[in-house]
Amino acid sequence: MHFSTPTALALSSLILGGSAAPAIKRQSYPNIDADILQYALTLEHLENAFYKQALSKWDQQSFTDAGFPAQFYDDLKYIAHDEEGHVLYLEAGLTAAGAKPVVACTYNFPMTTPLSFVQLASVVEGLGVSAYLGAAADITSKAYLTAAGSILVTEALHASATRGAVGEIPMANVFGTPLGLNAVYTIASGFIVSCPSTNVALPVSAYPSLTLVSGAPSAPGAVVDLQPKTIPTGSFFVTFVSGLDIIPVAPQSVANGMVMAVVPTMISGQSYAFLTTDNSGNLTDSNILAGPAIIEVTPSSPTFNLTIT
Ligand SMILES: *[C@@H]1O[C@H](CO)[C@@H](O)[C@H](O)[C@H]1NC(C)=O
Ligand SMILES: *[C@@H]1O[C@H](CO)[C@@H](O)[C@H](O)[C@H]1NC(C)=O
């Protein structure tokens, strides 16, 4: 994959508001956008490394032996190529804008077979979509929003291809699911062993982890078991996030270090659960106690209304 200077300049001018003179415009470089760009690059490095590890380990025959169609291996190569392209695009844009791009970390991906890799890929791609969607509202440059949206579209296509390949419905929700930076980082940091100390510190921190112990995949109305590191003291809620819905519920029961909760009917597709101090339906650093846990919820059959025209 080669990467041309004009593309690098295109992104730098997006960040800098269309100027071809980065040195002059650097003062107006929006710090929040630079942070988000480094955050996006952190995630793209992770995805790039993930596909390269898997495709170094398993060849086309391994995937066909695991039951995937012969052509699916090509899809994976396209995805790897896309993630590499995203890394190079963000690196070049940051460099051209005078920032030092973060470099790749050391990762640990729980994948032992082609199938477990593709299942994990579907989750990682869903997380990528949630990351770009959740960061969108923080981006101050409209042009940069277009670049981020452009990457989001590609990540959503990856999510669709990998979900379809493992039998999950790609379009299980009417809406995509936005997640805040800290929530995404909480999950992503689970794959990161260590990062070079020379990487710029990102303005993100992980929440206490929350593990889905049973209920994968789940269904609306089913019970999921969630395990936090420690059960919160005092009353708390399980807040589900799926598409544009944020639905807090009281736990059904709490026992043996486990929190049981009923999956609300609106939850569908790759969704997330947090433990929260309140049932406000607001998710902020101040009310999130733990999470997110990733919950895959298989929808019931779709319905639509022929009289709505
Ligand atoms: C939820 O957030 C909104 C917007 O920030 C705020 O107006 C509202 O008071 C919050 N609700 C609760 C219960 O904290
Ligand atoms: C279908 O949509 C029409 C028009 O909005 C509404 O009156 C009707 O109740 C809907 N039917 C169902 C089964 O939801």
Side-chain angles (χ1 to χ4, degrees), residues 21-262:
I24 296 165
K25 285 281 190 167
R26 189 147 331 138
Q27 278 174 312
S28 64
Y29 184 111
N31 274 330
I32 180 70
D33 287 0
D35 285 346
I36 291 174
L37 215 60
Q38 297 279 24
Y39 160 79
L41 179 55
T42 301
L43 299 177
E44 297 293 350
H45 274 310
L46 186 153
E47 292 185 305
N48 181 45
F50 171 61
Y51 286 100
K52 289 193 176 152
Q53 275 186 26
L55 296 182
S56 305
K57 206 161 163 179
W58 295 298
D59 60 8
Q60 182 169 25
Q61 187 65 45
S62 314
F63 286 94
T64 50
D65 287 351
F68 293 101
Q71 152 278 332
F72 183 64
Y73 185 70
D74 253 8
D75 290 351
L76 292 171
K77 290 192 334 195
Y78 276 109
I79 296 176
H81 170 262
D82 291 349
E83 306 300 6
E84 179 179 282
H86 294 165
V87 166
L88 294 172
Y89 180 74
L90 294 167
E91 279 178 350
L94 278 159
T95 303
K100 188 175 167 223
V102 292
V103 302
C105 301
T106 305
Y107 308 97
N108 180 22
F109 298 111
M111 51 181 181
T112 50
T113 61
L115 176 61
S116 66
F117 154 61
V118 181
Q119 282 167 336
L120 183 58
S122 75
V123 170
V124 167
E125 296 293 350
L127 184 67
V129 169
S130 292
Y132 279 97
L133 200 50
D138 292 331
I139 296 171
T140 59
S141 149
K142 286 190 182 185
Y144 179 51
L145 188 54
T146 302
S150 171
I151 296 177
L152 189 160
V153 168
T154 307
E155 303 294 351
L157 292 169
H158 299 168
S160 177
T162 49
R163 285 177 64 82
V166 296
E168 303 292 2
I169 295 159
M171 63 303 282
N173 202 303
V174 179
F175 298 101
T177 306
L179 271 189
L181 273 64
N182 289 344
V184 170
Y185 185 70
T186 302
I187 298 172
S189 63
F191 303 121
I192 297 175
V193 178
S194 64
C195 293
S197 58
T198 44
N199 275 358
V200 66
L202 295 175
V204 293
S205 51
Y207 300 120
S209 65
L210 184 65
T211 308
L212 178 70
V213 174
S214 76
S218 194
V223 174
V224 288
D225 291 4
L226 299 162
Q227 189 172 37
K229 283 219 165 96
T230 51
I231 294 288
T233 51
S235 80
F236 64 92
F237 295 83
V238 179
T239 297
F240 289 88
V241 182
S242 187
L244 296 175
D245 291 307
I246 302 179
I247 305 177
V249 301
Q252 186 195 57
S253 61
V254 179
N256 304 321
M258 215 76 82
V259 178
M260 273 129 308
V262 176

